[in-house]
């Protein structure tokens, strides 16, 4: 039976990516060698890294605008540390928007470095919305936000105007919707949602914001070092970078971000319409802040959970149990999840309504 | 034609590992899902992580001795930073042995943190040997060494006795030879030689040495955080950990480290015997410090290089060009390189001798 994988991340990637990357594990570029055993300095892999870095900037429409794309290791959690190391001045201050668990994690690492101001937080309402009214200190070294909150199913639709650099953790919605990415001075994203397998992190940084802190930066944490070494300061995560390139190529062939955005909007509309229509369910995020990537919802009557769970499991759906912070269900609809899978879930919700009434 | 992959890393892994990991990319554990799309919190992957962590301690004979094994990200270069963050006291000092490019890299990161003493260095002789006569300050917080120097083809055969914690970067010879691993308080190794693909780093640490610096440690760099979260502080490199587990299982089935050590010694003996016998070649490392993993050698007459290069390429050999720091040739004979591949290289060297004379 076909599986409908709603996992929140690591998550579904395009089927053709699985096939091509499995083939590369056996025989990469018809070289007779596995992608796992080739040197990262080999001509074939250098070409992969160069194409991947260029394709990131092309898809984000950041070409020729002073940005560099890097494929680093350590996940978004490592960028929580690299960002203040590279941008927070010795006696400066940072400003952060607290919209969920991961935003809070970024704030925690920054606080160990220096003055860190939280401009607004929705923690008191269990992060069910994105704060809108806040002021960003004009003298802060940067403003940090999280574009999509995987756990709570919220997503920033607008971003503030400010003269200070904007840093955005886009781990769970990068490459999913059209934005003016040049509004951001530094974007980072763990690969394992819309870009590739776990084990590589994308960074797109406007080079001119670097080198201004007066702080000594360890080499491995220094973005400028990684830029100077063309993202090969040390051995990169070869397989994860290659699989990311395959996913980016798939996206380009689909029409890039404008192409996938239409599909993502259709998927989100289909599911949220059912959540709102079906009397047995209720969404947890404030409607205007609902994420197109992660839809969080509850059964109004939790005693019905076992019966509902059996239905979706029988339909081949996996990965929609909610995070413990919210409970209920979380349907993650990343780029590679087909509309057909969302239809299967909606059908299950409607079938469940019939069996209950 | 069969390839003989002498790449210095990433490097050859066992053929059965390529086959099993390619299969897992298509269908992991017969789940109908790819290893690339499953949650790191799924039962199946938690079992992988637990088995991999336990197998590391079993193979190194560190079970029940207070050690924890972790699978982290960032390569050995990230451990160059994590080590002083976790072990170097606020006003303490560290001691390092300088045996090559990577040892020097570790020293550079440590120096940014505090007083760092280099107890000895072979840099003046282009790192062609391991310094033997040196004193380790008894009041240093730890002593750091590099067990095998990939670029220069040297390997530590003995390790100093000291009462302070010993930290060892074993990236290029871990799991290759029998040692009393309990002599070391912290061992780390980038996976991409004897353990798995690039993108994951093994750390085995004696837990009692942690938490003594008085230093605030960023969460992502804090070994104790990773231990407390059972190596899932953040999303691990799922595929790289799984492939490492397959390689560790292969090693266990071969008889563990005692089993592979015999094979590695036979390979090294075969090649070094030929280097010493063949009048056209000369080894670059001092004989007593020669590495069983990386044999570095030169043509006595460099004008013969094109002719020799053609021969080994025609024989299906790849990856034996030397590092620019040493020149000539470097034959890396990691665990998964078959003895047969070494025989092919030796045959080529003998054939070359005949064509020249």
């Amino acid at each position: 039976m076909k599986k409908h994988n709603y996992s929140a991340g690591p998550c579904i990637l395009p089927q053709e990516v699985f096939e091509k990357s499995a083939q590369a594990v056996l025989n990469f570029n018809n070289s007779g060698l596995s992608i796992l055993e080739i040197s990262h300095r080999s001509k074939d892999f250098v070409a992969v890294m160069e194409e991947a870095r260029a394709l990131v900037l092309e898809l984000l429409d950041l070409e020729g605008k002073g940005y560099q794309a890097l494929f680093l290791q350590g996940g978004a959690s490592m960028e929580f540390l690299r960002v203040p190391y590279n941008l927070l001045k010795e006696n400066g201050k940072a400003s952060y928007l607290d919209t969920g668990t991961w935003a809070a994690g970024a704030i925690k690492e920054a606080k160990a470095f220096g003055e860190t101001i939280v401009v607004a937080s929705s923690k008191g309402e269990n992060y069910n919305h994105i704060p809108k009214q806040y002021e960003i200190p004009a003298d802060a070294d940067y403003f940090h936000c999280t574009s999509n909150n995987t756990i709570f199913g919220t997503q920033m639709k607008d971003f503030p105007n400010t003269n200070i650099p904007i840093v955005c953790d886009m781990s769970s919605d990068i490459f999913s919707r059209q934005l003016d990415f040049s509004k951001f001075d530094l974007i980072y994203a763990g690969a394992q949602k819309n870009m590739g397998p776990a084990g590589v992190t994308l960074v797109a940084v406007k080079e001119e914001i670097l080198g201004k802190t007066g702080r000594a930066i360890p080499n491995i944490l220094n973005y400028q070092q990684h830029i100077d070494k063309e993202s090969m300061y040390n051995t990169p995560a070869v397989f994860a970078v290659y699989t990311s390139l395959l996913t980016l190529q798939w996206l380009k062939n689909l029409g890039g971000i404008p192409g996938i955005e239409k599909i993502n909007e259709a998927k989100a509309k289909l599911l949220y319409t059912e959540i709102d229509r079906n009397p047995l369910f209720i969404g947890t995020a404030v409607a205007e802040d609902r994420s197109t990537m992660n839809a969080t919802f509850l059964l109004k009557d939790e005693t019905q959970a076992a019966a509902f769970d059996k239905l979706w499991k029988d339909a081949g759906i996996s990965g929609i149990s909610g995070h413990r912070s919210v409970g209920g269900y979380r349907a993650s609809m990343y780029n590679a999840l087909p509309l057909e899978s969302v239809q299967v879930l909606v059908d299950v919700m409607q079938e469940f309504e019939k069996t209950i009434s």
Side-chain angles (χ1 to χ4, degrees), chain A:
Chain A
M1 182 173 57
K2 182 168 164 53
K3 293 276 184 172
H4 304 284
N5 181 9
Y6 279 93
S7 179
C11 67
I12 187 170
L13 296 174
Q15 185 60 34
E16 68 177 65
V17 170
F18 295 143
E19 285 160 13
K20 288 179 185 173
S21 62
Q23 178 55 38
V25 170
L26 296 173
N27 184 359
F28 174 57
N29 276 4
N30 213 18
S31 62
L33 295 173
S34 167
I35 181 86
L36 307 184
E37 66 177 320
I38 60 163
S39 170
H40 59 295
R41 304 282 181 196
S42 63
K43 193 164 52 77
D44 279 9
F45 184 71
V46 169
V48 166
M49 180 61 95
E50 285 179 1
E51 184 180 346
R53 294 179 71 204
L55 196 44
V56 163
L57 297 184
E58 181 186 332
L59 289 165
L60 297 177
D61 194 19
L62 290 175
E63 286 171 309
K65 295 177 182 172
Y67 288 79
Q68 294 274 357
L70 300 170
F71 287 87
L72 305 179
Q73 291 180 61
S77 296
M78 187 61 78
E79 303 320 304
F80 295 172
L81 179 63
R82 276 202 183 97
V83 165
Y85 246 127
N86 283 270
L87 300 181
L88 181 50
K89 295 196 175 85
E90 277 286 10
N91 294 303
K93 63 183 171 191
S95 58
Y96 280 71
L97 181 62
D98 179 21
T99 55
T101 304
W102 298 107
I107 291 165
K108 195 173 170 190
E109 287 289 33
K111 280 192 170 170
F113 265 80
E115 193 182 343
T116 299
I117 294 164
V118 178
V119 298
S121 171
S122 48
K123 187 177 182 184
E125 296 79 38
N126 201 30
Y127 295 120
N128 71 348
H129 70 286
I130 304 287
K132 307 290 184 320
Q133 300 300 320
Y134 54 84
E135 270 189 41
I136 298 172
D139 61 342
D141 295 327
Y142 63 89
F143 169 72
H144 179 284
C145 55
T146 310
S147 57
N148 187 76
N149 300 283
T150 327
I151 293 174
F152 302 96
T154 63
Q155 187 174 37
M156 294 179 76
K157 306 300 178 183
D158 296 297
F159 293 86
N161 290 308
T162 171
N163 290 324
I164 66 173
I166 302 184
V167 177
C168 190
D169 176 358
M170 294 194 186
S171 292
S172 55
D173 70 350
I174 194 161
F175 300 121
S176 74
R177 59 171 169 163
Q178 296 189 74
L179 288 174
D180 177 1
F181 293 99
S182 70
K183 249 189 107 140
F184 305 93
D185 299 85
L186 195 159
I187 295 165
Y188 64 88
Q192 66 269 17
K193 321 284 186 183
N194 283 333
M195 197 180 75
V200 68
T201 318
L202 171 66
V203 171
V205 58
K206 200 166 189 176
E207 202 168 352
E208 68 179 27
I209 69 168
L210 301 175
K212 297 183 172 172
T213 65
R215 190 187 289 279
I217 308 173
N219 289 298
I220 191 70
L221 298 184
N222 191 335
Y223 290 125
Q224 193 65 57
Q225 282 277 5
H226 291 284
I227 292 169
D228 293 347
K229 302 292 175 129
E230 298 175 316
S231 206
M232 298 262 209
Y233 170 74
N234 63 337
T235 312
V238 172
F239 176 79
V241 173
Y242 176 65
T243 307
S244 296
L245 172 61
L246 295 175
T247 310
L248 294 170
Q249 288 171 334
W250 167 85
L251 178 58
K252 183 176 173 176
N253 289 336
L254 259 183
I257 295 177
I260 201 73
E261 183 180 54
K262 284 197 194 80
I263 300 169
N264 287 334
E265 284 176 352
K267 291 185 291 185
K269 186 175 174 193
L270 179 60
L271 182 55
Y272 283 120
T273 300
E274 178 61 18
I275 290 170
D276 291 339
R277 186 208 61 77
N278 193 314
L280 303 181
F281 296 96
I282 184 167
T284 68
V286 166
E288 67 177 9
D289 296 332
R290 280 172 166 175
S291 167
T292 52
M293 295 283 100
N294 316 94
T296 50
F297 55 101
L298 307 172
L299 273 167
K300 286 182 187 161
D301 177 357
E302 279 195 18
T303 66
Q304 298 169 341
F308 178 58
D309 293 354
K310 182 174 187 319
L311 273 190
W312 58 258
K313 284 175 187 166
D314 287 350
I317 288 170
S318 68
I320 68 161
S321 295
H323 189 276
R324 63 182 181 281
S325 314
V326 180
Y329 303 95
R330 170 175 50 173
S332 296
M333 301 173 283
Y334 296 117
N335 283 358
L337 186 85
L339 182 62
E340 174 208 348
S341 289
V342 181
Q343 189 61 57
V344 169
L345 174 56
V346 167
D347 289 348
V348 163
M349 292 167 78
Q350 292 179 353
E351 185 188 340
F352 183 56
E353 185 190 4
K354 283 179 203 146
T355 63
I356 289 290
S357 54

